[in-house]
Amino acid sequence: MTRFSFTIQATDGKARLGTIAMRRGEICTPAFMPVGTAATVKAMKPETVRATGADIILGNTYHLMLRPGAERVAKLGGLHRFMNWSRPILTDSGGYQVMSLSDLRKITEEGVSFRSHLDGSKHMLSPERSMEIQRLLGSDIVMAFDECPRADQPRDVIAKSMELSMRWARRSRDGFDAGGEHAAGAALFGIQQGALDRDLRLQSAQALREIGFDGYAIGGLAVGEGQEAMFATLNFAPGQLPEDAPRYLMGVGKPDDLVGAVERGVDMFDCVLPTRSGRNGQAFTWNGPINLRNARFAEDASPLDERCPCPACANYSRAYLHHLVKAQEILGAMLMTEHNLYFYQHLMQRMREAIEGGRFAGFAADFRRDYFGG
């Protein structure tokens, strides 16, 4: 069985249509990975997540190491068996979560010492420990351990942080490679840092190329800098990374972010937005997002989205979903999340078809017209 291979079938401008082959299945790119932070995509059963079209999901190293514990998951047969998901799983390294706990953590060359947000207990996360946790979970795509500074920090702070992340990338590579049987069947992705700075990103990309990874993530974006600044960075950052490897933009994003990033050469995405928005009453549609809490939907008998093939749109009205959301019924969160994940996967499928047909620019223009004009 293939450990990891990436094939590009078609390109249209910078947009790429590809396939990642791994022992647990193929991943069609551009791909969107639903986020299963704590070994569950919230409000969804694994088989329902698969039915939306998801080829791969994301698990969270930080949250799983704290609860239920990586050693416990390993004892119970690994993350795939634990949560009943047989296809590929990508695990993040924990670096981003630790960054967001800035008042609870301390960074040194060795790694990050922090207190658990659950019970205040002390922990140390280093490149080696992050690799060990991801190995215990049985991750298919392991992410290198990095630091993710805010984009508004001074350039020298960003540069120092990027250099530290590159030293950690080397240690992540060594720690992963020491993983025996797991390393023989899994893949390791490096993470480019450098915030919005072209030169720092180039230095980071060169350091990662020298180490050598199966895929390359663009980190340090979607952390508050805004879409315009993100797109300006994506105009150059993907092209600094190897052409024959997948490029993964971490933590992105809104549907229009995905279209703009694919346009700029990105292959993989993850984001909590479709699931979190669904639980909070927001649905994504081809005519833009709608908030089902609004009173105007109370007697609206139409489906969430006429163009969506999902079960929520086929079987339920906006009026019923409005009622469920207002009454805080669990079914509302389930149906809204299912719809949003279907929408995201349908969007990825439409983008793949447009790249294959050499009409991506037209697709993107039509999408924006409907999404922002609807």
Side-chain angles (χ1 to χ4, degrees):
M1 280 297 287
T2 308
R3 179 189 68 84
F4 185 91
S5 72
F6 177 57
T7 313
I8 297 173
Q9 278 108 4
T11 58
D12 186 2
K14 289 184 182 178
R16 296 138 51 103
L17 173 73
T19 306
I20 296 169
M22 299 193 77
R23 62 200 174 100
R24 284 196 173 96
E26 290 192 341
I27 303 154
C28 299
T29 64
F32 180 81
M33 302 181 281
V35 176
T37 303
T40 168
V41 177
K42 287 180 171 57
M44 297 282 281
K45 293 192 289 187
E47 55 269 33
T48 318
V49 176
R50 176 63 180 147
T52 67
D55 291 331
I56 177 173
I57 60 170
L58 181 140
N60 189 282
T61 291
Y62 169 82
H63 288 281
L64 291 168
M65 72 176 270
L66 295 179
R67 185 174 58 194
E71 282 75 10
R72 179 174 291 167
V73 172
K75 196 184 290 183
L76 293 166
L79 187 55
H80 296 79
R81 183 181 292 178
F82 188 54
M83 69 178 291
N84 189 33
W85 175 265
S86 61
R87 295 189 57 81
I89 295 176
L90 179 147
T91 46
D92 64 13
S93 68
Y96 177 79
Q97 278 68 32
V98 170
M99 177 205 83
S100 62
L101 299 168
S102 51
D103 52 340
L104 297 172
R105 62 146 166 89
K106 184 183 176 209
I107 300 174
T108 62
E109 187 67 36
E110 188 193 346
V112 186
S113 55
F114 64 95
R115 289 188 178 276
S116 163
H117 72 287
L118 297 173
D119 60 10
S121 58
K122 282 185 173 177
H123 298 268
M124 177 73 187
L125 202 48
S126 64
E128 293 77 14
R129 178 61 179 152
S130 176
M131 296 305 102
E132 182 187 21
I133 292 165
Q134 294 180 76
R135 181 162 65 245
L136 287 165
L137 295 173
S139 170
D140 298 287
I141 298 179
V142 171
M143 298 305 298
F145 188 64
D146 67 331
E147 192 206 354
C148 178
R150 289 206 326 270
D152 60 1
Q153 298 282 308
R155 188 180 191 272
D156 62 323
V157 174
I158 301 280
K160 260 191 170 146
S161 169
M162 180 273 288
E163 288 158 8
L164 176 64
S165 285
M166 295 309 99
R167 294 193 294 276
W168 284 356
R170 163 52 69 193
R171 285 167 57 192
S172 295
R173 176 84 259 180
D174 293 343
F176 175 87
D177 290 344
E181 195 183 326
H182 176 252
L188 180 67
F189 280 27
I191 305 175
Q192 181 200 46
Q193 290 291 353
L196 312 177
D197 190 291
R198 183 192 288 257
D199 292 339
L200 292 180
R201 288 225 170 243
L202 183 59
Q203 284 175 42
S204 179
Q206 287 167 341
L208 294 172
R209 279 172 183 264
E210 281 170 27
I211 298 166
F213 292 92
D214 296 297
Y216 297 82
I218 300 162
L221 292 178
V223 288
E225 75 282 354
Q227 189 188 67
E228 194 180 329
M230 179 176 78
F231 281 171
T233 306
L234 291 177
N235 284 335
F236 59 78
Q240 296 173 334
L241 300 169
E243 202 159 296
D244 59 354
R247 301 157 176 170
Y248 162 30
L249 178 58
M250 303 180 79
V252 174
K254 302 191 301 295
D256 48 304
D257 292 332
L258 303 187
V259 174
V262 168
E263 222 164 15
R264 290 164 172 81
V266 175
D267 307 299
M268 298 170 71
F269 305 89
D270 81 279
C271 192
V272 297
L273 198 62
T275 48
R276 182 179 289 166
S277 295
R279 296 195 307 279
N280 289 313
Q282 186 184 53
F284 293 99
T285 79
W286 292 97
N287 296 115
I290 57 173
N291 185 350
L292 266 291
R293 293 180 183 280
N294 288 350
R296 66 191 177 98
F297 298 117
E299 296 182 2
D300 187 339
S302 61
L304 264 181
D305 188 342
E306 302 275 2
R307 292 161 64 183
C308 177
C310 86
C313 288
N315 299 312
Y316 303 97
S317 66
R318 289 178 172 189
Y320 181 61
L321 292 165
H322 165 82
H323 158 68
L324 293 178
V325 168
K326 292 294 279 185
Q328 296 185 318
E329 285 290 341
I330 293 167
L331 182 59
M334 292 165 64
L335 290 172
M336 294 283 286
T337 301
E338 184 177 19
H339 163 76
N340 282 347
L341 286 180
Y342 255 98
F343 176 81
Y344 267 62
Q345 296 300 344
H346 194 201
L347 174 62
M348 304 318 286
Q349 184 190 333
R350 293 280 305 281
M351 285 199 274
R352 292 193 294 265
E353 290 166 357
I355 297 165
E356 189 172 28
R359 47 185 174 77
F360 191 80
F363 165 82
D366 290 348
F367 168 81
R368 291 186 183 107
R369 178 199 66 216
D370 294 349
Y371 193 76
F372 294 114

